[in-house]
Amino acid sequence: FRQRGLQEFCKEYHWMTEIYEFLQTWGPQKLESMRDCPIKNYVMLVSCLNVRQARVSNIPNELITKSKLLLLSCRDVRAEMESKLESIRKDILAQVQNECWSRSQQLMKELADFIKVFQTVISDFHSIAQCSQKLNEANDQYNKLEERMEYIRSLHELTRSHFRLFSAENEALDISLLDMWEAFQFERSQASEFLLSKQHTIVPKLQQLMAAALAELEGLIEKALSGPFMDPAQEQRSTECQLLALERQFQSTASHLSELHRAYATFTGTEDPRPSATTCHRPSN
């Protein structure tokens, strides 16, 4: 009779084995592996955890087999399971909150960098080139930035709907992120309109400045290869000093030309080869 009573108990509460195995295999590495996972994975885990907690909480303190020959105390087993399940729940919540905070701070920093450039653009070509480059980055990264923003907001929603947590700090962070995202979208649109309005004036100006810098480089090369620099009778030390001065001037102008070309390529979105003094290439008007 006693054996039959135990079999009946094991059959009725076989689900405790699955929970016990879950608790035994759970550890920090399991939680760490969930970073960057889809939100649905967190939802499934928390939902399963809720079901397990509910079932464990309904375990009676004591059970008497149908034969009335065996009294089983479940108090300690239930308490241990409840404690471990609650600990897991707290660990998951802590990770979700940490992910919300760190991801929000990083994304808002990146959005703020974009907004700063968009808001401070003025009518000089250096500022416009920087803004254009940043706008290209924003357009290229837009889908990923939006995905990151939606993921973070889903983490916030997870804490509300599945953990029933409504803290002022979390709500303020969520609102700040949404405000920053809307500001980013607005300033991105404004910057795009501004650059479009300046394109007809800035491109010719850049072409003019590149042509002037290229002409200066060609003149320096021509100067270095003619006149007293090609005359062996000239005093060597004086000639070397003059050549060094020409080289410094050449390097400075070449650097300026490279900067102009980067601005031109960034603003126009072209992949044209860099202007070269040796090929005497000049941008067309």
Side-chain angles (χ1 to χ4, degrees):
F1 289 108
R2 181 178 299 179
Q3 183 177 3
R4 186 181 303 170
L6 286 174
Q7 288 175 345
E8 291 173 353
F9 170 81
C10 291
K11 183 178 180 180
E12 184 177 356
Y13 289 92
H14 70 280
W15 51 266
M16 292 176 62
T17 303
E18 183 271 331
I19 296 178
Y20 178 79
E21 290 175 351
F22 167 76
L23 294 175
Q24 291 298 109
T25 58
W26 182 266
Q29 70 282 357
K30 291 274 190 179
L31 188 59
E32 183 61 30
S33 68
M34 295 192 68
R35 291 189 188 276
D36 300 322
C37 74
I39 295 297
K40 65 179 182 180
N41 291 19
Y42 275 115
V43 173
M44 290 176 60
L45 177 59
V46 175
S47 297
C48 289
L49 201 62
N50 290 340
V51 171
R52 287 164 177 157
Q53 285 183 303
R55 298 195 76 176
V56 169
S57 66
N58 288 325
I59 298 175
N61 290 333
E62 295 179 342
L63 284 170
I64 301 177
T65 60
K66 290 182 179 181
S67 62
K68 309 287 185 185
L69 295 177
L70 186 64
L71 175 66
L72 300 174
S73 174
C74 302
R75 190 186 306 274
D76 292 343
V77 173
R78 188 183 69 180
E80 181 181 359
M81 284 187 169
E82 285 180 330
S83 176
K84 289 183 177 180
L85 287 170
E86 183 60 27
S87 177
I88 292 173
R89 184 184 181 86
K90 289 180 179 179
D91 289 343
I92 297 171
L93 175 59
Q95 175 159 301
V96 169
Q97 288 185 293
N98 180 263
E99 287 284 276
C100 281
W101 176 259
S102 59
R103 288 172 181 269
S104 294
Q105 294 300 316
Q106 180 60 37
L107 181 55
M108 287 194 292
K109 180 180 181 300
E110 293 176 30
L111 294 178
D113 289 341
F114 281 116
I115 292 171
K116 181 180 179 181
V117 174
F118 295 157
Q119 288 181 335
T120 56
V121 60
I122 54 179
S123 296
D124 69 282
F125 74 86
H126 292 290
S127 173
I128 289 177
Q130 184 183 18
C131 181
S132 180
Q133 181 180 10
K134 210 67 175 171
L135 183 62
N136 289 340
E137 291 178 15
N139 291 335
D140 290 341
Q141 299 175 23
Y142 184 84
N143 289 338
K144 289 186 177 180
L145 290 170
E146 186 175 37
E147 287 176 4
R148 289 168 61 190
M149 189 273 298
E150 291 177 350
Y151 186 85
I152 294 168
R153 300 209 71 213
S154 295
L155 288 174
H156 279 290
E157 182 58 29
L158 182 66
T159 63
R160 297 188 194 100
S161 59
H162 291 273
F163 287 97
R164 302 293 189 267
L165 179 64
F166 297 88
S167 73
E169 185 179 9
N170 286 351
E171 295 303 310
L173 185 62
D174 190 26
I175 292 172
S176 296
L177 175 61
L178 185 57
D179 288 345
M180 184 72 74
W181 177 253
E182 291 177 348
F184 164 72
Q185 290 181 302
F186 175 77
E187 296 298 341
R188 171 173 165 262
S189 176
Q190 292 293 102
S192 180
E193 292 180 8
F194 175 80
L195 293 178
L196 187 62
S197 71
K198 293 294 181 180
Q199 188 168 7
H200 70 286
T201 57
I202 199 65
V203 170
K205 180 64 175 178
L206 284 169
Q207 290 175 326
Q208 178 185 354
L209 292 172
M210 285 192 294
L214 187 59
E216 183 179 347
L217 290 178
E218 292 168 350
L220 291 171
I221 292 174
E222 183 178 352
K223 183 177 181 180
L225 297 177
S226 62
F229 300 108
M230 303 300 292
D231 184 359
Q234 294 293 321
E235 200 277 318
Q236 183 177 357
R237 184 170 182 80
S238 175
T239 301
E240 287 179 353
C241 289
Q242 293 179 61
L243 282 173
L244 287 174
L246 284 177
E247 182 182 11
R248 286 193 294 270
Q249 186 178 352
F250 184 92
Q251 293 297 334
S252 176
T253 304
S255 177
H256 180 55
L257 177 60
S258 295
E259 182 181 351
L260 291 170
H261 180 263
R262 283 194 298 271
Y264 179 84
T266 298
F267 188 69
T268 61
T270 62
E271 296 295 337
D272 295 337
R274 181 171 299 183
S276 170
T278 58
T279 59
C280 299
H281 170 72
R282 297 182 185 180
S284 59
N285 293 321

